[in-house]
Structures are given as structure tokens and as C-alpha cells.
Amino acid sequence: MDDIEQALGDYGRSRERTAQQAMLDLMALGCQTIALPPIDEQRRIGATMNAIGDQVAAFTALAEASGRVHAALSNALVAGVVGLNDPFTPGSPT
């Protein structure tokens, strides 16, 4: 019996003394069946999760870029480099 089985057995016995609850030992736990969807559906789920991860990464990059722009504009306002009423043309140098 390895250390994990011993620890789980000790834990189970201590729990039996304090409360009458059903316990699964390692053997019973290892015999449990886990239902999985068909492989094609698993692949679709994986592709969907990857697409969501890509969107999260893109939004994270956008949020970080927005934070840098905010900081730069705030610093420029405080330093007097730009004013609140200065004209702005997209694509023009700062």
C-alpha cells in the first residue's frame, strides 16, 4: 500500500468515526466510468475553446494597448505637451 492509499484510508477511518458518510476507496474510484461525448464533438468543443482563448488574448492585448495610450495621453496632458482643445487628426504625428 503506498502513502496515498494509506492517507486516504486513514482519512476515511477518521471520517467514519465522526460522521456516517459513504466513502469511495481507491479501488472503487478507479472503477468509475466517465461518459465522454463522441470524438468529433470533443474536437468541436476543443476548437471552440481555442477560438475563445484567441478572443480573450486579442481583447487582453487591446486592453493593454488602451492602457498604454491612456497613460501616454495623461502624461502629455500633465506635461502640457497636448491640451484638451488641441485638434486631432487620425494618423497625424503627435
Side-chain angles (χ1 to χ4, degrees):
M1 184 179 305
D2 65 2
D3 293 338
I4 295 173
E5 289 175 325
Q6 180 65 42
L8 287 174
D10 292 345
Y11 176 75
R13 284 188 289 283
S14 70
R15 293 288 295 162
E16 287 173 1
R17 285 190 287 264
T18 59
Q20 295 298 319
Q21 294 180 342
M23 297 291 292
L24 286 176
D25 62 14
L26 285 179
M27 186 68 116
L29 192 59
C31 294
Q32 297 301 308
T33 302
I34 299 173
L36 296 173
I39 192 68
D40 288 340
E41 186 174 350
Q42 291 179 47
R43 287 185 179 118
R44 285 192 303 273
I45 291 168
T48 300
M49 296 301 294
N50 285 337
I52 291 170
D54 292 344
Q55 288 179 347
V56 168
F59 286 128
T60 299
L62 179 62
E64 289 170 354
S66 296
R68 288 190 299 274
V69 168
H70 178 268
L73 287 173
S74 296
N75 290 338
L77 281 168
V78 170
V81 176
V82 295
L84 292 177
N85 295 320
D86 287 352
F88 173 76
T89 306
S92 64
T94 56

